[in-house]
Amino acid sequence: MEKHINVVAALQIGLSILCILIGIFLFVVLYFVGDLVEDQQAQFILSIIAKIMTGFIIFLSLPGIIAGIGLFRRKEWARILTLILSVIHLLNFPLGTAVGVYSLWALVQPEVMEQFKKGE
C-alpha cells in the first residue's frame, strides 16, 4: 500500500500542476485575443477576465499540491484533505474522475489508514 500512497500523492500534485498550466494557457489565449480585437473596451474586459480566471484556477489548484506533499510525509491531515479533493475531482471528467476514484479507493484501505496513524 506504500506504493499506492505515493502514486496518489504524485497524481494530486500532477493534476494540480496540469490545471495551473491550463490556467496559464487560458490567460495567454484570452489576453492576446484581446490584443487582436480593435476595441479598447473589449481588450480591457478580456484582460481582466484572463487575470481573474488564472488567479481562480491557481487558487483552486494549490490545495492539491499541498495535499500531495503532505501525503508524501504521511500526514493524517493530508489524507483527509485528499479525500475531500478526490470527491471534488469526481466532477472533473474524465481525468479528474479517474484520479478521484483511485484516490478514494487507495486512501480508505485499512492498511493505509494504519500507516497514517503511525506517522503521527
Side-chain angles (χ1 to χ4, degrees):
M1 292 312 286
E2 190 84 19
K3 184 193 286 186
H4 290 294
I5 298 170
N6 291 334
V7 169
V8 169
L11 286 172
Q12 286 295 322
I13 293 171
L15 186 61
S16 295
I17 290 173
L18 178 65
C19 288
I20 289 172
L21 291 174
I22 290 171
I24 292 170
F25 175 75
L26 285 174
F27 173 79
V28 170
V29 168
L30 285 175
Y31 198 82
F32 290 113
V33 164
D35 285 343
L36 295 175
V37 177
E38 300 290 324
D39 187 10
Q40 289 289 348
Q41 191 174 16
Q43 287 177 339
F44 178 71
I45 291 172
L46 282 175
S47 69
I48 289 175
I49 291 172
K51 291 173 188 173
I52 291 172
M53 281 181 52
T54 303
F56 186 69
I57 290 171
I58 290 172
F59 177 74
L60 290 178
S61 298
L62 288 178
I65 294 172
I66 294 168
I69 293 169
L71 284 177
F72 279 128
R73 296 181 180 168
R74 303 299 188 261
K75 302 292 183 182
E76 179 64 21
W77 60 262
R79 188 181 76 81
I80 294 168
L81 178 59
T82 304
L83 288 171
I84 293 167
L85 291 173
S86 296
V87 171
I88 296 169
H89 287 318
L90 293 175
L91 301 173
N92 188 7
F93 186 79
L95 188 58
T97 303
V99 170
V101 168
Y102 177 70
S103 298
L104 286 171
W105 172 81
L107 294 178
V108 297
Q109 300 299 319
E111 301 89 16
V112 171
M113 294 169 69
E114 226 15 75
Q115 284 188 4
F116 281 95
K117 288 181 182 170
K118 289 179 191 175
E120 289 194 26

